[in-house]
């Protein structure tokens, strides 16, 4: 797997690409794409990094696994291809945004690249998945790689916003320096937990207030 990733990320993550685990991960992923149906399309594995270079990151939204249905996963956490029906979690995210800002979304599709180019890193813990098999690529090395991504952002940048929804994301947030960054935690937006504290969490407005406070342009979430 030739790692096609924005040069700014290549520089900050170069040590990871040389680690033995990453070679094993690469071999595993290559074999999976050759012999199985795997999502997202190979060109989109590192799409989150392509659309949001290292220096441009303002907000990090952590997901767990890519969607495993046809034409859903597009390399951005919680997002789906433009023409696809919105998954329940994304629908709930949109509802929360509309509630916070008191107006309907301008964009109703689930692609979310419009957020990524503004500086929102939509990062899944695992970047690939076998079709119709949730979590099938967990424990192969992706988590170690994405932990390194979070760590290098925490260490080398200041005043970022990390949105950690659900217990999995909160655990992954252990690599973040709470003194330098804003950590926003709540329940996950899935239908199972959305009423346990995701609805009403105010994260999108809180993120924008923090960015403005530190001299950054806020994100247009609508």
């Amino acid at each position: 797997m030739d790692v096609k990733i924005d040069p700014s990320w290549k520089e900050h993550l170069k040590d990871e690409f040389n680690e033995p685990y990453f070679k094993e991960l690469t071999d595993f992923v290559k074999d999976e794409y050759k012999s199985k149906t795997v999502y997202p399309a190979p060109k989109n594995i590192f799409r989150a990094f392509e659309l949001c270079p290292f220096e441009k990151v303002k907000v990090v939204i952590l997901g767990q696994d890519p969607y495993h249905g046809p034409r859903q996963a597009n390399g951005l956490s919680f997002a789906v291809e433009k023409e696809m029906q919105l998954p329940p979690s994304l629908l709930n995210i949109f509802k929360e945004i509309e509630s916070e800002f008191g107006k309907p979304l301008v964009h109703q599709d689930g692609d979310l690249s419009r957020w990524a180019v503004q500086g929102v890193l939509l990062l899944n813990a695992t970047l690939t998945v076998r079709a119709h098999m949730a979590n099938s690529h967990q424990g192969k090395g992706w988590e170690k790689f994405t932990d390194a991504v979070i760590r290098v952002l925490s260490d080398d940048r200041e005043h970022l916003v990390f949105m950690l929804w659900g217990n999995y994301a909160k655990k992954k947030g252990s690599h973040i320096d709470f003194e330098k960054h804003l950590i926003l935690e709540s329940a996950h937006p899935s239908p199972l937990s959305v009423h346990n504290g995701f609805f009403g969490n105010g994260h999108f407005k809180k993120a924008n207030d923090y960015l403005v406070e530190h001299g950054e342009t806020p994100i247009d979430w609508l």
Side-chain angles (χ1 to χ4, degrees):
M1 186 168 63
D2 177 27
V3 180
K4 289 187 171 63
I5 194 169
D6 182 88
S8 65
W9 285 105
K10 212 156 205 176
E11 174 59 29
H12 283 277
L13 295 168
K14 59 180 184 287
D15 291 346
E16 295 304 307
F17 297 132
N18 295 322
E19 287 281 330
Y21 87 85
F22 199 83
K23 167 78 168 65
E24 288 171 21
L25 171 62
T26 299
D27 291 343
F28 167 76
V29 170
K30 273 183 179 169
D31 286 346
E32 285 282 291
Y33 273 98
K34 275 183 200 158
S35 60
K36 308 282 190 309
T37 302
V38 176
Y39 301 122
K43 64 176 185 182
N44 285 335
I45 294 174
F46 293 102
R47 186 168 177 238
F49 302 90
E50 286 297 331
L51 293 176
C52 192
F54 184 83
E55 292 81 12
K56 303 275 190 201
V57 177
K58 297 177 181 179
V59 179
V60 181
I61 298 182
L62 276 181
Q64 190 164 348
D65 219 31
Y67 296 115
H68 51 80
R71 301 198 330 277
Q72 285 186 302
N74 66 4
L76 306 177
S77 63
F78 293 100
V80 289
E81 293 284 28
K82 200 164 253 183
E83 72 282 358
M84 296 301 291
Q85 184 178 352
L86 298 181
S89 289
L90 184 55
L91 199 55
N92 287 333
I93 290 168
F94 283 180
K95 282 179 185 172
E96 174 59 25
I97 291 170
E98 289 184 334
S99 170
E100 286 183 36
F101 292 95
K103 55 177 88 166
L105 290 176
V106 177
H107 306 280
Q108 298 286 344
D109 70 85
D111 176 36
L112 303 189
S113 57
R114 59 186 175 274
W115 294 355
V117 296
Q118 294 182 75
V120 182
L121 183 67
L122 293 153
L123 181 66
N124 275 320
T126 306
L127 300 189
T128 54
V129 69
R130 201 184 286 182
H132 311 300
M133 292 182 66
N135 310 326
S136 48
H137 285 189
Q138 286 189 3
K140 304 296 184 183
W142 278 131
E143 295 91 339
K144 194 168 181 183
F145 173 72
T146 51
D147 280 349
V149 170
I150 294 166
R151 198 161 43 241
V152 76
L153 280 169
S154 177
D155 291 350
D156 295 357
R157 295 288 311 279
E158 288 187 339
H159 309 312
L160 301 181
V161 180
F162 290 86
M163 296 186 184
L164 310 179
W165 301 330
N167 291 331
Y168 185 90
K170 288 173 191 172
K171 280 184 198 144
K172 205 159 176 72
S174 63
H175 301 283
I176 304 164
D177 184 340
F178 279 55
E179 300 292 316
K180 287 169 65 181
H181 306 285
L182 177 64
I183 317 299
L184 298 173
E185 296 184 342
S186 80
H188 194 276
S190 91
L192 295 172
S193 54
V194 71
H195 293 288
N196 293 334
F198 181 81
F199 281 154
N201 66 17
H203 282 187
F204 301 95
K205 271 197 160 179
K206 285 174 184 171
N208 278 358
D209 289 347
Y210 182 82
L211 292 173
V212 170
E213 192 184 317
H214 291 95
E216 292 285 359
T217 310
I219 305 297
D220 178 5
W221 297 106
L222 296 164

